[in-house]
Amino acid sequence: MLALICLLLVPVAQAGSALFTRIHYQGADGGPTPTTSQYRNPILAGFYPDPSIIRVGDDFYLVNSSFGYFPGLPVFHSRDLVDWTQIGNAIDRPGQIDYGRHELTRGLFAASISYHGGTFYITNTCFYCDGGNYVITAKNPAGPWSNPVWFGIEGIDPSLFFDSDGKAWLVNNGMPVGKPRYEGHRAIWIQQFDPASMKLVGPRKVIVDGGTDPSANPQYVEGPHLFRRGSWYYLIAAQGGTGEQHAEMVWRSHHVTGPYMAWSGNPVLTQRDLDPARAHPVTSAGHAQFVELKDGSWWSVFLATRPYRGNQYNLGRETFLLPVHWHDDWPQVLPHDTPVPLVATRPPLPRTASTQPTTGPFGWTEHFHGHGLPLAWMTINVPRTHWYATGSKGLRITPSATPLGDYADGQPAYVAHRLQHRVASLEATLDAALLAPNEQAGLALFQNETHFYAAMRVHDHSGNAVVLYRRTSKDEPAAGTPIARVALGRTTQSLQLRFQLDGARLDAWYAQGSGAWQPLARNLDASVLSTATAGGFTGVTFGPYAYRK
């Protein structure tokens, strides 16, 4: 973390830079309101997919995937499973991992957190990195985390299991033995891990080939986790892809290396059989991990989505929580044809408040007065130059020649925060007097390189103006297409920019100084930011952005 702080504190030249003095966020999604004995799903709203969880004494720790964003792999802490506080990012140093220059859906895939003998472990896949799968360690889950030790195996989603005899085992998704029989044919592999040498040892073996019913050609078995309960070893894994057919499956064996038998009642969790027209739908549920409480009860975190129309959602895959019920030594999260509840009974744990709400209606204001970016803020890929700094005046950004729609030729000057509500207001206050000719700065609303909006203060040959850009395909300019423009004259007043979201509707506003808000564009289509339209599997982010032509 110290290296990152030093990087961010390098002074940025004031000439030709943008100063953001305030970001304000307010979100308020509808739905039932929990009582004091209940909690709200999701427990982590917004782009927090692929949750992995452990308990160490009275403490719970959770990590999510982050793909092409940096810092990566956010780490959370809780004592009640409901209220979570981010305590760090496992990948937080520019020299720790280099993602390269790839599209946002590459980078850090599903991570798995584990603990043994005073050491925390995170296993992960860096997609398009030379090493692929790796492990990092820490004595404190808040960090610092070690540099990666690469496993040298193919596949994705590695997960460590420490058995009661002290042996450790790694399971992961990989290609099957021989030629795949069909598109999406994958296998789950197991191999012993030696914590002393940090290496895989012994033979690597397939324990699931295809999925629960190989004759049905199951798609993309992935996200495996091993755990033990009584005399049984359990393997849980997702199946069916990350869309509406997503489901969580379970197998068990009396031996850690198998053979594993699938439960006849599978899946243990899915929403794929429900009526799409139901009220308050939750879709794509799966990629779960279980955790045992001190009282012997079990709970599961898993990813799912909350669409606002059809299967359109802008928030990405979010983290949900539900109890696990046991039947004849088989676990089940939800009976078939049962919707994921948005409100449920809290776990039997003393309630602890989080420093910042992660679900339900909430708001916050950020002035960037601290040393370095707050933990929840990110950039696209790892910074290689000193293009932003925080301090007493706010966040200062040097515009980049790389626009939001380009990732191969450099890094966009974009500082991102996850969108966490379908109904939300996002505001940025910009002191743009320092912009040089042909520079622009403002507020971006970003799904991926080909789908975004950006409300920008522009200083070009036509004078000062506020311009709204939109990009909805790879065939449009990488900086987006201007769809609205309002002249500002020669004013040096600060500029306020606002996006208002309500499901598929988006409005854009601006205000000069302390003046009244004025419409920049209204009734825009926010569904172009949905995964269904934009593709990929990340969620929308927003934040300050500066670009130099």
Side-chain angles (χ1 to χ4, degrees):
M1 177 64 76
L2 180 60
L4 178 61
I5 291 174
C6 292
L7 170 71
L8 299 181
L9 291 180
V10 172
V12 178
Q14 292 190 4
S17 63
L19 177 64
F20 293 85
T21 59
R22 176 180 177 269
I23 301 292
H24 179 69
Y25 180 86
Q26 190 69 48
D29 287 346
T33 301
T35 66
T36 55
S37 63
Q38 297 175 314
Y39 70 95
R40 185 191 300 271
N41 266 321
I43 53 171
L44 295 181
F47 167 47
Y48 290 107
D50 307 322
S52 173
I53 190 171
I54 55 167
R55 179 179 65 84
V56 180
D58 294 325
D59 298 288
F60 299 92
Y61 300 98
L62 185 148
V63 64
N64 298 97
S65 57
S66 51
F67 298 94
Y69 284 105
F70 176 88
L73 307 185
V75 180
F76 290 86
H77 169 259
S78 175
R79 286 200 161 190
D80 62 10
L81 283 179
V82 172
D83 301 294
W84 293 87
T85 298
Q86 187 173 355
I87 58 173
N89 291 284
I91 303 299
D92 67 353
R93 302 186 300 278
Q96 203 173 1
I97 292 183
D98 185 359
Y99 310 166
R101 291 287 180 257
H102 303 291
E103 58 187 331
L104 194 63
T105 53
R106 303 311 189 219
L108 306 181
F109 277 34
S112 179
I113 188 168
S114 52
Y115 174 83
H116 180 73
T119 299
F120 292 86
Y121 298 78
I122 288 180
T123 50
N124 185 231
T125 304
C126 185
F127 202 76
Y128 272 28
C129 290
D130 291 339
N133 295 287
Y134 66 91
V135 60
I136 54 178
T137 60
K139 294 299 183 180
N140 184 338
W145 289 82
S146 70
N147 288 333
V149 176
W150 301 94
F151 289 133
I153 57 172
E154 60 89 24
I156 60 172
D157 301 353
S159 176
L160 273 178
F161 162 65
F162 288 89
D163 205 348
S164 57
D165 62 2
K167 291 183 179 179
W169 301 87
L170 185 87
V171 289
N172 79 295
N173 151 295
M175 297 301 293
V177 176
K179 183 179 179 180
R181 294 187 292 107
Y182 55 88
E183 178 68 23
H185 180 194
R186 297 293 187 272
I188 301 299
W189 294 76
I190 190 170
Q191 189 172 5
Q192 191 172 348
F193 171 73
D194 176 21
S197 65
M198 298 288 285
K199 294 182 179 179
L200 296 173
V201 296
R204 188 167 179 247
K205 175 185 177 183
V206 170
I207 52 175
V208 169
D209 184 6
T212 51
D213 180 7
S215 66
N217 292 351
Q219 298 284 310
Y220 297 107
V221 61
E222 59 190 9
H225 296 291
L226 273 178
F227 65 94
R228 188 171 182 175
R229 181 178 181 266
S231 63
W232 290 104
Y233 292 92
Y234 293 89
L235 171 72
I236 57 174
Q239 188 175 296
T242 60
E244 291 178 279
Q245 296 303 305
H246 205 202
E248 189 72 16
M249 307 297 184
V250 62
W251 298 255
R252 73 183 185 188
S253 172
H254 280 302
H255 305 280
V256 67
T257 57
Y260 280 86
M261 174 181 63
W263 183 36
S264 61
N266 272 316
V268 300
L269 168 68
T270 191
Q271 299 286 275
R272 65 189 183 190
D273 302 324
L274 299 176
D275 181 359
R278 65 193 183 277
H280 306 298
V282 172
T283 66
S284 310
H287 201 109
Q289 187 169 19
F290 299 168
V291 63
E292 184 180 12
L293 275 58
K294 279 187 171 181
D295 66 0
S297 63
W298 288 74
W299 289 75
S300 174
V301 292
F302 57 94
L303 70 79
T305 62
R306 294 180 293 155
Y308 51 78
R309 184 178 64 193
N311 199 39
Q312 291 179 319
Y313 52 88
N314 294 8
L315 302 180
R317 299 169 298 161
E318 308 174 280
T319 294
F320 288 69
L321 173 75
L322 282 177
V324 177
H325 304 283
W326 291 88
H327 310 281
D328 299 323
D329 284 333
W330 287 106
Q332 186 173 53
V333 179
L334 279 179
H336 297 182
D337 302 317
T338 303
V340 171
L342 294 178
V343 171
T345 302
R346 296 178 69 94
L349 295 166
R351 187 167 184 169
T352 58
S354 60
T355 56
Q356 168 63 49
T358 56
T359 189
F362 63 81
W364 48 263
T365 300
E366 179 58 60
H367 297 285
F368 300 104
H369 288 168
H371 296 297
L373 292 176
L375 290 174
W377 291 85
M378 310 169 292
T379 65
I380 298 174
N381 294 323
V382 181
R384 296 183 181 180
T385 59
H386 311 308
W387 55 263
Y388 65 98
T390 61
S392 60
K393 293 185 178 181
L395 174 67
R396 196 178 300 278
I397 297 179
T398 299
S400 170
T402 302
L404 277 175
D406 184 11
Y407 58 85
D409 296 329
Q411 183 180 32
Y414 173 52
V415 179
H417 192 288
R418 294 165 178 84
L419 181 70
Q420 295 183 271
H421 297 83
R422 292 173 293 185
V423 179
S425 176
L426 333 168
E427 297 177 9
T429 301
L430 169 67
D431 181 354
L434 299 176
L435 285 177
N438 297 317
E439 293 183 341
Q440 52 187 272
L443 179 63
L445 190 60
F446 180 81
Q447 168 60 255
N448 57 28
E449 295 87 351
T450 57
H451 291 75
F452 59 81
Y453 286 93
M456 308 291 283
R457 180 167 184 165
V458 175
H459 182 38
D460 60 17
H461 65 278
S462 299
N464 289 310
V466 55
V467 179
L468 182 65
Y469 294 89
R470 178 179 64 195
R471 195 182 197 210
T472 58
S473 82
K474 64 181 180 180
D475 298 323
E476 295 184 56
T481 300
I483 60 173
R485 181 184 179 108
V486 177
L488 295 177
R490 300 181 63 84
T491 179
T492 57
Q493 288 182 298
S494 63
L495 180 69
Q496 297 185 74
L497 300 165
R498 175 192 288 169
F499 283 124
Q500 285 186 303
L501 282 158
D502 189 351
R505 173 176 170 159
L506 173 66
D507 296 328
W509 303 78
Y510 75 98
Q512 295 190 69
S514 58
W517 287 99
Q518 304 291 331
L520 178 59
R522 305 190 69 176
N523 296 313
L524 299 166
D525 182 10
S527 72
V528 301
L529 304 177
S530 68
T531 302
T533 301
F537 32 79
T538 57
V540 168
T541 60
F542 67 93
Y545 165 51
Y547 170 56
R548 178 182 73 253
K549 289 187 178 181

